[in-house]
Amino acid sequence: MALDRESLEDIYNRVPIWFQNGALSAYGLHTRLTRYNKTFFRELDALRERDTWSTEQTIAYRDERIRQFIQHCADTVPYYRGLFRDLKINPQEITGLDTLSLLPVLDRATVRDRWREFVSDAFPASAQQIKFTSGTSGAGLRYISTLASTREQWAVWWRFRYAHGIRFGTECAMFRSALLVPLDRTEPPFWRRNHATREMFFSGNHMSPRYLPSYIEEMNRRRPPWIHGFGSTVTTLASFILESGLKLNYPVRWITLGSEQVYPHQLEKIEAAFGIRPLQIYGMTEAVANASEAPDGVLYVDEDFAATEFLPVNESGTCDVVGTNLSNPIFPLVRYRVGDLAVPADGQSANGRRIVSRLDGRSDDYIIRPDGSRLGRLDILFRRMVNIREAQILQQRPGEVRLRVAKGKDFTAADEAALLSVARKHLGGDMDIQVDYVDAIERTPSGKLLHVRSELARGQL
């Protein structure tokens, strides 16, 4: 009998550390053989070649890809067959990015409630990989991809890395919140190693002053030249270095940040601690938009990967990010509202890529645990909660949180029990956790839903 994900996690947490490292490395080897194979590197070479194209070549390639994608949607996807019929639109009227506006913007709730209608009937069930994401709204979303679409997305992310001199197999210290280290652990090591892809995963959930000296010691022992992670976790490490006086005894060559908004003060702190400027990439698992920082320090839209639109929300230049996932024909999302805000700029690169001057993306606050350690990037609490419309984590006192939940139509007591179970696992059994049900989560003046809202005084953060 196949074990579910939660059962596998429980087994993982009970086995010795050497076995956990072995399991992580075995998974890494499988990923390397399936995702990072010859097809992947051919895809990466093609993407890098497109960086040398002219503006006309880039736009023509993007628009032709949009035309083919829209026709595929109209022919093979139940939701879009109905949409084109109801709107009396011929899919051939959509000839590129400028004509996508003939179709309405797609909201997350529609995809969540009618997700089966978005599955293309051109692919066999054996090609489907079911995945989950939480995104900016905090509500769980189920979607489907193929190995080919996942491979292309990773090739785009590796194009960004190659542009800055990072090569596949470079030793990397990963700072993230995945529970590879059990939350109740109180002794080092607070990291696990994937030998197959040369990655060290440092727990983002144990980054308190009590434990961080061991992080510094391990990094000085391993000397990874590349640090990658969430802006919040890397900033926590940088703050500790600056405040404690403990330092890395070797030069870090690259720091890359992704998956959440990074504020200017965080960039300054990271650069002060490590002596180099972090590099940023913007993307999401749904693959409807992507932007990568180039060596000139500018964030450019990856025009050849997804059809990204910026729809103004106010007179200040702030826009909704709306995108179409051209790389995933098995589960097309056309003009999908991400829930992120961005400010595009005038101008473009030599090969026609538009510029993003500022992102207001997944801006998570910290949560303070009873022991004073800080937890960030907590969207994982709601990642599989597909019967929740919206959610927010509210903290008013250290060691206490309120999970504010807007129920979906199929929400039951079993969903609440599952939510509390996941929350205790990721926040710790000593955290006071309450659930509050609301009709909707209020937005900021700019229209953004804050996934985490902290009302702690600045001195408590």
Side-chain angles (χ1 to χ4, degrees):
M1 182 178 66
L3 296 173
D4 60 26
R5 183 185 181 95
E6 188 169 346
S7 298
L8 290 172
E9 288 178 353
D10 289 340
I11 293 172
Y12 173 89
N13 288 335
R14 291 198 300 267
V15 300
I17 292 173
W18 64 266
F19 196 97
Q20 293 176 347
N21 285 327
L24 186 59
S25 297
Y27 181 80
L29 179 60
H30 176 265
T31 300
R32 184 161 189 169
L33 293 174
T34 55
R35 181 191 299 164
Y36 300 123
N37 55 15
K38 291 181 181 179
T39 303
F40 166 83
F41 285 102
R42 284 197 297 269
E43 185 76 52
L44 177 59
D45 288 343
L47 283 160
R48 297 181 70 198
E49 169 65 23
R50 293 202 284 272
D51 279 344
T52 68
W53 283 2
S54 67
T55 295
E56 292 73 21
Q57 285 175 300
T58 298
I59 293 175
Y61 177 85
R62 180 198 66 198
D63 286 351
E64 176 59 26
R65 197 170 186 187
I66 291 172
R67 284 193 289 271
Q68 293 181 10
F69 191 76
I70 293 299
Q71 189 63 58
H72 163 81
C73 292
D75 291 341
T76 74
V77 182
Y79 176 83
Y80 293 108
R81 278 199 292 258
L83 182 67
F84 281 106
R85 182 188 64 246
D86 295 344
L87 295 178
K88 296 180 173 56
I89 295 175
N90 185 334
Q92 294 181 6
E93 295 178 48
I94 299 176
T95 57
L97 187 69
D98 293 342
T99 49
L100 276 173
S101 58
L102 291 172
L103 296 175
V105 172
L106 176 65
D107 62 74
R108 188 183 189 90
T110 299
V111 179
R112 185 186 64 246
D113 295 341
R114 303 172 61 181
W115 72 276
R116 293 185 185 278
E117 298 177 44
F118 287 87
V119 182
S120 168
D121 54 30
F123 294 84
S126 59
Q128 300 180 10
Q129 297 180 337
I130 297 179
K131 298 183 178 181
F132 296 86
T133 184
S134 58
T136 327
S137 72
L141 178 70
R142 177 197 294 111
Y143 72 103
I144 293 174
S145 68
T146 64
L147 181 58
S149 59
T150 300
R151 189 182 289 131
E152 181 180 353
Q153 184 172 42
W154 278 96
V156 170
W157 292 340
W158 271 101
R159 173 173 64 177
F160 154 72
R161 295 167 178 178
Y162 267 62
H164 295 280
I166 305 171
R167 294 295 179 263
F168 195 83
T170 300
E171 184 84 11
C172 182
M174 303 279 289
F175 285 83
R176 50 190 298 176
S177 58
L179 285 181
L180 297 175
V181 179
L183 191 60
D184 59 1
R185 186 169 182 83
T186 59
E187 299 277 343
F190 300 108
W191 46 86
R192 299 294 182 265
R193 185 167 177 80
N194 177 356
H195 294 276
T197 52
R198 304 191 68 196
E199 296 168 316
M200 291 192 304
F201 291 90
F202 287 85
S203 170
N205 297 326
H206 293 82
M207 298 184 72
S208 68
R210 176 183 173 187
Y211 302 137
L212 280 169
S214 66
Y215 285 57
I216 302 296
E217 182 180 349
E218 179 65 10
M219 291 188 68
N220 281 332
R221 188 171 75 87
R222 294 284 187 180
R223 301 172 67 86
W226 174 25
I227 294 174
H228 175 74
F230 304 137
S232 57
T233 51
V234 178
T235 300
T236 297
L237 179 65
S239 298
F240 178 77
I241 288 174
L242 295 172
E243 294 167 5
S244 69
L246 296 177
K247 298 184 181 297
L248 299 182
N249 60 20
Y250 71 96
V252 174
R253 292 189 61 188
W254 304 280
I255 298 176
T256 55
L257 307 175
S259 297
E260 66 181 18
Q261 181 185 5
V262 184
Y263 296 97
H265 75 273
Q266 293 176 314
L267 295 173
E268 293 170 3
K269 188 167 289 187
I270 293 170
E271 186 169 5
F274 298 102
I276 58 171
R277 186 176 62 84
L279 308 168
Q280 296 187 68
I281 188 167
Y282 169 73
M284 68 289 301
T285 53
E286 300 99 315
V288 298
N290 210 88
S292 308
E293 183 175 341
D296 62 4
V298 177
L299 195 65
Y300 293 105
V301 175
D302 289 296
E303 307 282 359
D304 55 344
F305 174 64
T308 306
E309 300 175 74
F310 300 103
L311 306 186
V313 297
N314 57 40
E315 296 179 357
S316 70
T318 299
C319 295
D320 259 331
V321 178
V322 171
T324 302
N325 59 344
L326 303 176
S327 65
N328 193 9
I330 197 171
F331 197 82
L333 300 174
V334 178
R335 306 201 77 212
Y336 175 78
R337 190 188 304 275
V338 179
D340 292 343
L341 302 175
V343 179
D346 294 332
Q348 59 188 23
S349 69
N351 66 337
R353 295 172 64 186
R354 289 166 292 162
I355 296 171
V356 178
S357 66
R358 191 177 75 246
L359 288 170
D360 185 18
R362 287 144 284 189
S363 52
D364 294 354
D365 280 332
Y366 294 109
I367 288 298
I368 308 300
R369 284 184 25 80
D371 64 2
S373 59
R374 296 185 287 179
L375 302 181
R377 196 64 178 111
L378 292 171
D379 62 301
I380 194 170
L381 269 65
F382 307 104
R383 186 163 296 168
R384 291 175 173 267
M385 301 292 109
V386 295
N387 291 326
I388 290 177
R389 285 192 293 108
E390 298 175 345
Q392 183 182 71
I393 303 170
L394 170 65
Q395 183 164 47
Q396 298 169 312
R397 286 177 289 277
E400 300 178 15
V401 295
R402 308 190 76 86
L403 306 180
R404 307 182 70 231
V405 171
K407 301 178 185 178
K409 61 183 177 60
D410 296 325
F411 188 92
T412 67
D415 292 296
E416 177 179 302
L419 174 60
L420 286 170
S421 175
V422 172
R424 293 187 185 103
K425 180 181 294 186
H426 287 271
L427 302 179
D430 54 350
M431 181 76 82
D432 183 359
I433 304 170
Q434 303 293 326
V435 179
D436 293 338
Y437 293 107
V438 297
D439 292 331
I441 307 296
E442 59 271 21
R443 268 55 174 175
T444 66
S446 63
K448 190 166 183 65
L449 188 158
L450 296 180
H451 174 64
V452 175
R453 197 178 98 210
S454 177
E455 295 183 355
L456 298 178
R458 282 295 153 193
Q460 295 175 287
L461 294 174

